[in-house]
């Protein structure tokens, strides 16, 4: 196969020229490039830079919700965190919050392909978004009898102070 300008195409992984009749290498599936062309080190655009971070193994399956943001910027922040791990994502306005006058306001769902959902959920769970979880057994529930005794004792002391001040 050759490019639209007539230059021969080859596989950058296998180093074979014209390894098939399509845009991808028949043996390894890598996209074909013009033979002898220099590799692109810098992304051509912002979208190209984001696309280069995506791990192809996380792109399969239907979209599932893994997180939600209270507004557009928060959802985009979560989306950026996922992209740094190679997980592609899209934002969707949460159902019921699609008022045309407030397109940037309202909650957003962060959706990822099924193949990347487990990684995305684990990443977001590990980050906890700055919220520290108490250690198990560090905070005990108060004993209800002690709580009732404390309230009644405080009331009795207040009543005694009020009676003596008369």
């Amino acid at each position: 196969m050759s490019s639209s300008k007539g230059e021969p195409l080859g596989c950058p992984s296998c180093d074979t020229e014209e390894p098939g009749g399509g845009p991808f290498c028949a043996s390894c599936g890598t996209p074909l490039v013009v033979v002898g062309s220099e590799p692109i080190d810098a992304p051509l655009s912002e979208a190209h830079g984001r696309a280069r971070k995506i791990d192809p193994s996380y792109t399969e399956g239907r979209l599932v919700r893994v997180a939600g943001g209270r507004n557009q910027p928060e959802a985009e922040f979560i989306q950026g965190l996922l992209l740094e791990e190679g997980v592609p994502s899209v934002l969707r306005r949460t159902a019921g919050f699609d008022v045309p006058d407030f397109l940037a306001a309202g909650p957003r769902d962060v959706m990822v392909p099924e193949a990347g959902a487990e990684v995305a959920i684990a990443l977001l769970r590990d980050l906890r978004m700055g919220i520290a979880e108490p250690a198990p057994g560090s905070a005990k529930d108060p004993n209800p009898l002690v709580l009732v005794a404390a309230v009644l004792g405080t009331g009795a002391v207040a009543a005694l102070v009020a009676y003596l001040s008369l």
Side-chain angles (χ1 to χ4, degrees):
M1 180 174 196
S2 60
S3 70
S4 60
K5 297 180 182 177
E7 298 132 339
L9 296 178
C11 178
S13 295
C14 304
D15 290 329
T16 57
E17 262 189 58
E18 299 191 43
F24 299 98
C25 178
S27 59
C28 68
T30 304
L32 300 177
V33 297
V34 175
V35 175
S37 64
E38 293 294 318
I40 300 173
D41 291 331
L44 301 175
S45 66
E46 185 180 337
H48 183 238
R50 283 192 310 269
R52 291 174 75 175
K53 292 180 180 180
I54 293 174
D55 185 342
S57 65
Y58 298 144
T59 60
E60 299 297 321
R62 63 181 181 81
L63 292 176
V64 294
R65 182 184 186 277
V66 295
R70 291 178 289 209
N71 50 41
Q72 182 81 21
E74 186 176 296
E76 288 174 355
F77 176 73
I78 295 169
Q79 196 175 28
L81 291 172
L82 294 174
L83 183 60
E84 290 302 316
E85 292 296 318
V87 180
S89 61
V90 294
L91 301 180
R92 176 183 73 179
R93 218 176 293 129
T94 302
F97 290 93
D98 55 357
V99 178
D101 294 340
F102 303 105
L103 291 179
R108 299 288 192 269
D109 294 332
V110 180
M111 311 286 288
V112 301
E114 282 180 325
E118 188 174 319
V119 173
I121 291 169
L123 171 70
L124 295 172
R125 187 180 303 127
D126 289 346
L127 291 176
R128 306 288 297 153
M129 303 302 260
I131 301 170
E133 216 175 88
S138 64
K140 293 183 179 179
D141 289 334
N143 186 345
L145 294 176
V146 172
L147 187 58
V148 168
V151 169
L152 290 176
T154 305
V157 170
L160 181 62
V161 169
Y163 178 74
L164 294 176
S165 66
L166 291 176

PDB file of all heavy atoms in Angstrom, residues 1 8-20 24-36:
ATOM      1  N   MET A   1       0.856  -1.176   0.000  1.00  0.00           N
ATOM      2  CA  MET A   1       0.000   0.000   0.000  1.00  0.00           C
ATOM      3  C   MET A   1       0.891   1.225   0.000  1.00  0.00           C
ATOM      4  O   MET A   1       1.989   1.223   0.525  1.00  0.00           O
ATOM      5  CB  MET A   1      -0.898  -0.028   1.234  1.00  0.00           C
ATOM      6  CG  MET A   1      -1.825   1.143   1.323  1.00  0.00           C
ATOM      7  SD  MET A   1      -2.954   0.936   2.710  1.00  0.00           S
ATOM      8  CE  MET A   1      -4.135   2.147   2.230  1.00  0.00           C
ATOM      9  N   PRO A   8       5.670   4.928  -0.310  1.00  0.00           N
ATOM     10  CA  PRO A   8       5.395   3.596   0.241  1.00  0.00           C
ATOM     11  C   PRO A   8       5.208   3.660   1.761  1.00  0.00           C
ATOM     12  O   PRO A   8       5.837   4.451   2.447  1.00  0.00           O
ATOM     13  CB  PRO A   8       6.644   2.789  -0.127  1.00  0.00           C
ATOM     14  CG  PRO A   8       7.715   3.808  -0.312  1.00  0.00           C
ATOM     15  CD  PRO A   8       7.032   5.049  -0.799  1.00  0.00           C
ATOM     16  N   LEU A   9       4.316   2.813   2.250  1.00  0.00           N
ATOM     17  CA  LEU A   9       4.061   2.741   3.678  1.00  0.00           C
ATOM     18  C   LEU A   9       4.741   1.516   4.273  1.00  0.00           C
ATOM     19  O   LEU A   9       4.919   0.504   3.601  1.00  0.00           O
ATOM     20  CB  LEU A   9       2.556   2.669   3.959  1.00  0.00           C
ATOM     21  CG  LEU A   9       1.721   3.882   3.560  1.00  0.00           C
ATOM     22  CD1 LEU A   9       0.255   3.631   3.866  1.00  0.00           C
ATOM     23  CD2 LEU A   9       2.200   5.118   4.293  1.00  0.00           C
ATOM     24  N   GLY A  10       5.115   1.619   5.544  1.00  0.00           N
ATOM     25  CA  GLY A  10       5.748   0.505   6.227  1.00  0.00           C
ATOM     26  C   GLY A  10       5.342   0.478   7.685  1.00  0.00           C
ATOM     27  O   GLY A  10       4.765   1.418   8.214  1.00  0.00           O
ATOM     28  N   CYS A  11       5.688  -0.625   8.326  1.00  0.00           N
ATOM     29  CA  CYS A  11       5.357  -0.804   9.736  1.00  0.00           C
ATOM     30  C   CYS A  11       6.539  -0.365  10.587  1.00  0.00           C
ATOM     31  O   CYS A  11       7.645  -0.881  10.422  1.00  0.00           O
ATOM     32  CB  CYS A  11       5.018  -2.261  10.022  1.00  0.00           C
ATOM     33  SG  CYS A  11       4.657  -2.564  11.763  1.00  0.00           S
ATOM     34  N   PRO A  12       6.339   0.571  11.523  1.00  0.00           N
ATOM     35  CA  PRO A  12       7.442   1.011  12.370  1.00  0.00           C
ATOM     36  C   PRO A  12       7.847  -0.045  13.410  1.00  0.00           C
ATOM     37  O   PRO A  12       8.964  -0.029  13.898  1.00  0.00           O
ATOM     38  CB  PRO A  12       6.906   2.267  13.058  1.00  0.00           C
ATOM     39  CG  PRO A  12       5.432   2.145  13.012  1.00  0.00           C
ATOM     40  CD  PRO A  12       5.117   1.342  11.786  1.00  0.00           C
ATOM     41  N   SER A  13       6.975  -1.001  13.710  1.00  0.00           N
ATOM     42  CA  SER A  13       7.302  -2.039  14.681  1.00  0.00           C
ATOM     43  C   SER A  13       8.057  -3.200  14.043  1.00  0.00           C
ATOM     44  O   SER A  13       9.063  -3.665  14.568  1.00  0.00           O
ATOM     45  CB  SER A  13       6.040  -2.583  15.342  1.00  0.00           C
ATOM     46  OG  SER A  13       5.426  -1.584  16.099  1.00  0.00           O
ATOM     47  N   CYS A  14       7.561  -3.691  12.911  1.00  0.00           N
ATOM     48  CA  CYS A  14       8.147  -4.857  12.250  1.00  0.00           C
ATOM     49  C   CYS A  14       9.248  -4.481  11.254  1.00  0.00           C
ATOM     50  O   CYS A  14       9.973  -5.350  10.785  1.00  0.00           O
ATOM     51  CB  CYS A  14       7.080  -5.621  11.482  1.00  0.00           C
ATOM     52  SG  CYS A  14       5.677  -6.136  12.448  1.00  0.00           S
ATOM     53  N   ASP A  15       9.339  -3.210  10.902  1.00  0.00           N
ATOM     54  CA  ASP A  15      10.290  -2.730   9.889  1.00  0.00           C
ATOM     55  C   ASP A  15      10.101  -3.414   8.540  1.00  0.00           C
ATOM     56  O   ASP A  15      11.053  -3.714   7.844  1.00  0.00           O
ATOM     57  CB  ASP A  15      11.740  -2.894  10.356  1.00  0.00           C
ATOM     58  CG  ASP A  15      12.078  -1.940  11.485  1.00  0.00           C
ATOM     59  OD1 ASP A  15      11.500  -0.843  11.514  1.00  0.00           O
ATOM     60  OD2 ASP A  15      12.932  -2.296  12.325  1.00  0.00           O
ATOM     61  N   THR A  16       8.850  -3.692   8.175  1.00  0.00           N
ATOM     62  CA  THR A  16       8.572  -4.270   6.863  1.00  0.00           C
ATOM     63  C   THR A  16       7.842  -3.241   6.023  1.00  0.00           C
ATOM     64  O   THR A  16       7.034  -2.471   6.528  1.00  0.00           O
ATOM     65  CB  THR A  16       7.702  -5.541   6.992  1.00  0.00           C
ATOM     66  OG1 THR A  16       6.502  -5.220   7.685  1.00  0.00           O
ATOM     67  CG2 THR A  16       8.436  -6.637   7.738  1.00  0.00           C
ATOM     68  N   GLU A  17       8.167  -3.241   4.722  1.00  0.00           N
ATOM     69  CA  GLU A  17       7.499  -2.305   3.814  1.00  0.00           C
ATOM     70  C   GLU A  17       6.228  -2.928   3.279  1.00  0.00           C
ATOM     71  O   GLU A  17       6.211  -4.109   2.929  1.00  0.00           O
ATOM     72  CB  GLU A  17       8.427  -1.948   2.649  1.00  0.00           C
ATOM     73  CG  GLU A  17       9.144  -0.645   2.865  1.00  0.00           C
ATOM     74  CD  GLU A  17       9.891  -0.202   1.632  1.00  0.00           C
ATOM     75  OE1 GLU A  17       9.252  -0.031   0.570  1.00  0.00           O
ATOM     76  OE2 GLU A  17      11.101  -0.026   1.752  1.00  0.00           O
ATOM     77  N   GLU A  18       5.172  -2.124   3.184  1.00  0.00           N
ATOM     78  CA  GLU A  18       3.876  -2.520   2.648  1.00  0.00           C
ATOM     79  C   GLU A  18       3.439  -3.898   3.157  1.00  0.00           C
ATOM     80  O   GLU A  18       3.238  -4.815   2.382  1.00  0.00           O
ATOM     81  CB  GLU A  18       3.913  -2.507   1.124  1.00  0.00           C
ATOM     82  CG  GLU A  18       4.216  -1.131   0.565  1.00  0.00           C
ATOM     83  CD  GLU A  18       3.997  -1.049  -0.926  1.00  0.00           C
ATOM     84  OE1 GLU A  18       2.973  -1.585  -1.396  1.00  0.00           O
ATOM     85  OE2 GLU A  18       4.831  -0.452  -1.601  1.00  0.00           O
ATOM     86  N   PRO A  19       3.269  -4.052   4.499  1.00  0.00           N
ATOM     87  CA  PRO A  19       2.929  -5.362   5.063  1.00  0.00           C
ATOM     88  C   PRO A  19       1.465  -5.750   4.948  1.00  0.00           C
ATOM     89  O   PRO A  19       1.014  -6.625   5.642  1.00  0.00           O
ATOM     90  CB  PRO A  19       3.317  -5.216   6.533  1.00  0.00           C
ATOM     91  CG  PRO A  19       3.160  -3.775   6.806  1.00  0.00           C
ATOM     92  CD  PRO A  19       3.479  -3.060   5.528  1.00  0.00           C
ATOM     93  N   GLY A  20       0.716  -5.141   4.082  1.00  0.00           N
ATOM     94  CA  GLY A  20      -0.690  -5.515   3.935  1.00  0.00           C
ATOM     95  C   GLY A  20      -1.408  -4.502   3.057  1.00  0.00           C
ATOM     96  O   GLY A  20      -0.820  -3.560   2.554  1.00  0.00           O
ATOM     97  N   PHE A  24      -3.268  -0.647   8.582  1.00  0.00           N
ATOM     98  CA  PHE A  24      -2.587  -1.240   9.720  1.00  0.00           C
ATOM     99  C   PHE A  24      -1.749  -2.430   9.266  1.00  0.00           C
ATOM    100  O   PHE A  24      -2.060  -3.090   8.263  1.00  0.00           O
ATOM    101  CB  PHE A  24      -3.599  -1.700  10.781  1.00  0.00           C
ATOM    102  CG  PHE A  24      -4.428  -0.579  11.331  1.00  0.00           C
ATOM    103  CD1 PHE A  24      -5.701  -0.335  10.849  1.00  0.00           C
ATOM    104  CD2 PHE A  24      -3.921   0.250  12.321  1.00  0.00           C
ATOM    105  CE1 PHE A  24      -6.461   0.704  11.341  1.00  0.00           C
ATOM    106  CE2 PHE A  24      -4.680   1.291  12.826  1.00  0.00           C
ATOM    107  CZ  PHE A  24      -5.942   1.522  12.333  1.00  0.00           C
ATOM    108  N   CYS A  25      -0.696  -2.735   9.997  1.00  0.00           N
ATOM    109  CA  CYS A  25       0.180  -3.863   9.712  1.00  0.00           C
ATOM    110  C   CYS A  25      -0.605  -5.158   9.884  1.00  0.00           C
ATOM    111  O   CYS A  25      -1.294  -5.348  10.885  1.00  0.00           O
ATOM    112  CB  CYS A  25       1.389  -3.835  10.645  1.00  0.00           C
ATOM    113  SG  CYS A  25       2.500  -5.235  10.410  1.00  0.00           S
ATOM    114  N   ALA A  26      -0.472  -6.061   8.907  1.00  0.00           N
ATOM    115  CA  ALA A  26      -1.208  -7.325   8.957  1.00  0.00           C
ATOM    116  C   ALA A  26      -0.673  -8.250  10.045  1.00  0.00           C
ATOM    117  O   ALA A  26      -1.414  -9.064  10.582  1.00  0.00           O
ATOM    118  CB  ALA A  26      -1.125  -8.027   7.607  1.00  0.00           C
ATOM    119  N   SER A  27       0.601  -8.127  10.421  1.00  0.00           N
ATOM    120  CA  SER A  27       1.163  -9.051  11.411  1.00  0.00           C
ATOM    121  C   SER A  27       1.044  -8.544  12.843  1.00  0.00           C
ATOM    122  O   SER A  27       0.844  -9.320  13.759  1.00  0.00           O
ATOM    123  CB  SER A  27       2.629  -9.337  11.089  1.00  0.00           C
ATOM    124  OG  SER A  27       3.370  -8.138  11.095  1.00  0.00           O
ATOM    125  N   CYS A  28       1.183  -7.215  13.072  1.00  0.00           N
ATOM    126  CA  CYS A  28       1.163  -6.733  14.464  1.00  0.00           C
ATOM    127  C   CYS A  28       0.066  -5.709  14.744  1.00  0.00           C
ATOM    128  O   CYS A  28      -0.163  -5.361  15.902  1.00  0.00           O
ATOM    129  CB  CYS A  28       2.522  -6.154  14.858  1.00  0.00           C
ATOM    130  SG  CYS A  28       2.950  -4.627  14.014  1.00  0.00           S
ATOM    131  N   GLY A  29      -0.595  -5.183  13.737  1.00  0.00           N
ATOM    132  CA  GLY A  29      -1.699  -4.255  13.942  1.00  0.00           C
ATOM    133  C   GLY A  29      -1.299  -2.806  14.161  1.00  0.00           C
ATOM    134  O   GLY A  29      -2.138  -1.962  14.433  1.00  0.00           O
ATOM    135  N   THR A  30      -0.026  -2.493  14.037  1.00  0.00           N
ATOM    136  CA  THR A  30       0.452  -1.122  14.221  1.00  0.00           C
ATOM    137  C   THR A  30       0.056  -0.272  13.018  1.00  0.00           C
ATOM    138  O   THR A  30       0.124  -0.740  11.887  1.00  0.00           O
ATOM    139  CB  THR A  30       1.993  -1.123  14.378  1.00  0.00           C
ATOM    140  OG1 THR A  30       2.342  -1.973  15.459  1.00  0.00           O
ATOM    141  CG2 THR A  30       2.526   0.276  14.621  1.00  0.00           C
ATOM    142  N   PRO A  31      -0.334   0.985  13.221  1.00  0.00           N
ATOM    143  CA  PRO A  31      -0.639   1.848  12.080  1.00  0.00           C
ATOM    144  C   PRO A  31       0.598   2.039  11.186  1.00  0.00           C
ATOM    145  O   PRO A  31       1.712   2.194  11.683  1.00  0.00           O
ATOM    146  CB  PRO A  31      -1.050   3.175  12.723  1.00  0.00           C
ATOM    147  CG  PRO A  31      -1.464   2.814  14.104  1.00  0.00           C
ATOM    148  CD  PRO A  31      -0.625   1.643  14.498  1.00  0.00           C
ATOM    149  N   LEU A  32       0.372   1.990   9.893  1.00  0.00           N
ATOM    150  CA  LEU A  32       1.466   2.145   8.935  1.00  0.00           C
ATOM    151  C   LEU A  32       1.868   3.610   8.821  1.00  0.00           C
ATOM    152  O   LEU A  32       1.044   4.506   8.974  1.00  0.00           O
ATOM    153  CB  LEU A  32       1.044   1.610   7.570  1.00  0.00           C
ATOM    154  CG  LEU A  32       0.654   0.131   7.528  1.00  0.00           C
ATOM    155  CD1 LEU A  32       0.192  -0.256   6.129  1.00  0.00           C
ATOM    156  CD2 LEU A  32       1.803  -0.745   7.974  1.00  0.00           C
ATOM    157  N   VAL A  33       3.153   3.841   8.549  1.00  0.00           N
ATOM    158  CA  VAL A  33       3.693   5.188   8.369  1.00  0.00           C
ATOM    159  C   VAL A  33       4.468   5.235   7.062  1.00  0.00           C
ATOM    160  O   VAL A  33       4.805   4.208   6.481  1.00  0.00           O
ATOM    161  CB  VAL A  33       4.622   5.584   9.544  1.00  0.00           C
ATOM    162  CG1 VAL A  33       3.852   5.624  10.848  1.00  0.00           C
ATOM    163  CG2 VAL A  33       5.798   4.645   9.661  1.00  0.00           C
ATOM    164  N   VAL A  34       4.765   6.438   6.607  1.00  0.00           N
ATOM    165  CA  VAL A  34       5.556   6.612   5.396  1.00  0.00           C
ATOM    166  C   VAL A  34       6.969   6.117   5.677  1.00  0.00           C
ATOM    167  O   VAL A  34       7.582   6.465   6.693  1.00  0.00           O
ATOM    168  CB  VAL A  34       5.566   8.096   4.955  1.00  0.00           C
ATOM    169  CG1 VAL A  34       6.483   8.303   3.764  1.00  0.00           C
ATOM    170  CG2 VAL A  34       4.158   8.553   4.626  1.00  0.00           C
ATOM    171  N   VAL A  35       7.506   5.268   4.794  1.00  0.00           N
ATOM    172  CA  VAL A  35       8.835   4.711   4.969  1.00  0.00           C
ATOM    173  C   VAL A  35       9.871   5.833   4.949  1.00  0.00           C
ATOM    174  O   VAL A  35       9.845   6.709   4.085  1.00  0.00           O
ATOM    175  CB  VAL A  35       9.146   3.676   3.863  1.00  0.00           C
ATOM    176  CG1 VAL A  35      10.584   3.180   3.958  1.00  0.00           C
ATOM    177  CG2 VAL A  35       8.180   2.519   3.939  1.00  0.00           C
ATOM    178  N   GLY A  36      10.760   5.824   5.943  1.00  0.00           N
ATOM    179  CA  GLY A  36      11.814   6.833   6.019  1.00  0.00           C
ATOM    180  C   GLY A  36      11.396   8.118   6.696  1.00  0.00           C
ATOM    181  O   GLY A  36      12.201   9.037   6.833  1.00  0.00           O
TER     182      GLY A  36
END
